[in-house]
Amino acid sequence: MTRPRILVVGAGFAGVECVRRLERRLSPGEAELTLVTPFAYQLYLPLLPQVASGVLTPQSIALSLRRSKKYRTRIIPGGAIGVDLASKVCVVRTITDQIVNERYDYLVLAPGSVTRTFDIPGLVDNAFGMKTLAEAAYVRDHVISQLDLADASQDPAERAARLQFVVVGGGYAGTETAACLQRLTHAAVRRYPRLDPSLIKWHLIDIAPKLMPELGDKLGRSAQEILRRRGIEISLGVSIEKAGPTEVTFTDGRVVPTRTLIWTAGVVASPLIATLGAETVRGRLAVNAEMNVPGHDGVFALGDSAAVPDLAKGGDSVCPPTAQHAMRQGKVVADNVIATLRGQGLRPYEHKDLGLVVDLGGKDAVSKPLGIELHGLPAQVVARGYHWSALRTGVAKARVLTNWTLNAVAGDDFVRTGFQARRPATLKDFEYTDTYLTPEQVREQVEASGPREG
């Protein structure tokens, strides 16, 4: 008999946890496992700002999915661009730009999220994101390049503009990005005798009235004080009105000459979700507490792209798009896929949030583990300890620990790799959000070519 096909879309925290558990708990004869992902690694997303600032190397937070010989999942290098639930077909665009149909008997949707953008003139053409490994490495190169270009410029206005940096988004990603990169430029400018350190200015803005409101008033104020003490200008209740290649206009009327706009103002579910034609909750796929898509047995969704009911909080609340929830959801979905395969009952997902950690670089951090508010060195120990323990492999843990130690002892060499010699790459170039199909196009693709046999 043909083995049932389990297809997992996405190699983030949720998808990888699900696949690894399926491999451990299913015998090879019970099912065929397939994973669709453009990159054969799991990215430890919370540490991206440390890659951008050079504290960590890119490969230290990219956990290879091909490293261990014991794993048997077939990896399809590409991205899912459409799903036909009626035909049980997932449409995949491979990295060779071929479009193929993948049949499934059981489907796990964990495509993650993409950067949320708005209809702001010039935004996608001039802003950088902080969502992928390539973006983090590119932003580091860009920031160091601004110091080199400012040092080479004979125009005082251009020099000042290149030394101003704007980060939009007062959540964890934006706050950590601004904090870590400010430390990078503060340390690097000492190696540029011609540059006036006072010209370096970092702006962190957010339309919300508070910075990281999930931390609570006390820790939120503590984080603001740390950043302002370092010279980062924080503007709340403010966003971007328009973005140009040489300046950014804020909604309060200020015009900031800059060559660096980093956009981290939240995320939205992967555009793949819109191709299903299924019910959504604020853009995320509606699922029940067992993470099953209603009306489609054997189809599960989790992570950033699914509106998973938060049973711990109750009411209409859904789980926030955090790594903590995604990892635990992956294990429960794997168990529910196996239960469906074996004709057993499903179990709901319930997990109480263990707390929050925010690494601001150096000895600066704020953390709230299990509701206990910490700041300074104790918070930094908790933050880095949590991230280190959450890394999935011993090799990754060794690399990250080595990088942290080396950076603390020897500092940074401020080397740029030369990306800037090529065409500038901005927000629209990294996340491939224009590759997805409409539900009608998905149906046409399935009917025209028929499902591909795995």
Side-chain angles (χ1 to χ4, degrees):
M1 293 180 62
T2 302
R3 291 179 299 168
R5 283 171 283 203
I6 301 174
L7 181 65
V8 179
V9 175
F13 290 105
V16 170
E17 285 293 332
C18 178
V19 166
R20 294 307 185 224
R21 196 171 183 92
L22 288 171
E23 289 175 325
R24 289 193 298 269
R25 299 202 168 187
L26 283 174
S27 66
E30 275 191 276
E32 176 185 311
L33 301 177
T34 303
L35 175 65
V36 178
T37 174
F39 306 107
Y41 60 76
Q42 177 194 353
L43 177 63
Y44 192 84
L45 201 64
L47 291 178
L48 269 186
Q50 295 192 35
V51 170
S53 63
V55 174
L56 298 175
T57 59
Q59 56 267 49
S60 65
I61 66 167
L63 286 66
S64 173
L65 302 179
R66 299 189 188 275
R67 185 174 183 86
S68 175
K69 296 178 181 178
K70 69 180 180 180
Y71 297 132
R72 64 179 189 274
T73 299
R74 178 171 72 100
I75 297 175
I76 299 177
I81 59 173
V83 175
D84 187 330
L85 294 174
S87 300
K88 292 192 172 184
V89 172
C90 180
V91 182
V92 177
R93 187 190 300 274
T94 69
I95 59 172
T96 58
D97 214 30
Q98 291 179 297
I99 296 180
V100 298
N101 296 345
E102 285 293 327
R103 278 197 59 207
Y104 63 82
D105 297 297
Y106 302 91
L107 177 65
V108 177
L109 293 169
S113 56
V114 296
T115 301
R116 178 181 61 184
T117 58
F118 300 97
D119 190 20
I120 297 172
L123 177 62
V124 297
D125 293 313
N126 296 294
F128 304 104
M130 189 57 65
K131 195 74 172 65
T132 68
L133 196 60
E135 282 177 312
Y138 189 91
V139 165
R140 170 178 167 78
D141 224 46
H142 171 83
V143 168
I144 295 175
S145 292
Q146 298 317 297
L147 297 176
D148 284 344
L149 291 167
D151 190 45
S153 176
Q154 303 302 316
D155 181 354
E158 179 189 353
R159 187 181 303 124
R162 290 194 180 280
L163 297 179
Q164 288 211 77
F165 306 88
V166 178
V167 178
V168 182
Y172 306 114
T175 302
E176 289 188 337
T177 296
C180 291
L181 285 173
Q182 186 273 340
R183 281 182 59 85
L184 169 68
T185 55
H186 180 74
V189 75
R190 300 171 188 168
R191 315 289 177 87
Y192 294 82
R194 291 184 66 247
L195 295 182
D196 181 357
S198 66
L199 290 178
I200 295 181
K201 296 180 181 178
W202 280 87
H203 303 264
L204 176 61
I205 73 172
D206 196 289
I207 195 65
K210 295 181 180 180
L211 201 67
M212 297 180 293
E214 297 88 347
L215 284 173
D217 290 341
K218 184 178 178 181
L219 282 184
R221 285 195 303 270
S222 179
Q224 287 191 52
E225 290 170 5
I226 291 170
L227 298 180
R228 284 184 169 136
R229 189 169 63 244
R230 288 209 216 149
I232 297 176
E233 182 177 324
I234 299 172
S235 301
L236 300 175
V238 176
S239 188
I240 296 296
E241 185 174 293
K242 61 180 178 179
T246 60
E247 65 180 26
V248 172
T249 303
F250 293 178
T251 52
D252 62 4
R254 282 180 291 165
V255 178
V256 177
T258 182
R259 302 295 200 279
T260 309
L261 170 60
I262 302 174
W263 180 268
T264 64
V267 296
V268 294
S270 166
L272 177 67
I273 299 305
T275 73
L276 276 68
E279 181 185 353
T280 59
V281 178
R282 295 181 181 177
R284 300 167 75 181
L285 188 62
V287 297
N288 55 30
E290 292 75 26
M291 289 171 283
N292 180 229
V293 178
H296 299 280
D297 291 341
V299 178
F300 298 86
L302 66 162
D304 292 6
S305 285
V308 180
D310 192 340
L311 299 183
K313 291 184 178 179
D316 296 328
S317 58
V318 297
C319 295
T322 64
Q324 187 180 144
H325 280 290
M327 292 168 69
R328 288 162 176 79
Q329 289 170 5
K331 295 176 181 178
V332 175
V333 161
D335 291 344
N336 285 344
V337 170
I338 295 170
T340 304
L341 182 65
R342 296 173 179 173
Q344 301 169 347
L346 309 184
R347 70 183 177 101
Y349 171 75
E350 182 173 4
H351 170 68
K352 186 176 181 181
D353 204 310
L354 297 178
L356 307 164
V357 295
V358 182
D359 188 335
L360 300 175
K363 298 179 181 179
D364 294 329
V366 289
S367 301
K368 197 175 182 179
L370 302 174
I372 302 171
E373 296 186 346
L374 302 172
H375 56 83
L377 188 57
Q380 182 65 283
V381 171
V382 170
R384 294 203 170 181
Y386 171 78
H387 289 315
W388 186 82
S389 64
L391 291 166
R392 191 172 46 81
T393 68
V395 171
K397 289 180 179 180
R399 283 179 175 154
V400 166
L401 188 59
T402 300
N403 284 178
W404 279 340
T405 303
L406 190 60
N407 185 266
V409 173
D412 196 329
D413 289 327
F414 312 111
V415 173
R416 59 186 175 93
T417 55
F419 286 136
Q420 302 304 310
R422 301 182 176 87
R423 179 180 65 85
T426 51
L427 196 62
K428 67 177 183 179
D429 298 308
F430 285 103
E431 297 187 40
Y432 311 105
T433 53
D434 58 350
T435 65
Y436 296 86
L437 306 178
T438 65
E440 293 74 23
Q441 289 172 326
V442 172
R443 192 65 192 161
E444 288 175 8
Q445 164 66 21
V446 172
E447 292 176 349
S449 56
R452 176 188 175 198
E453 296 296 333

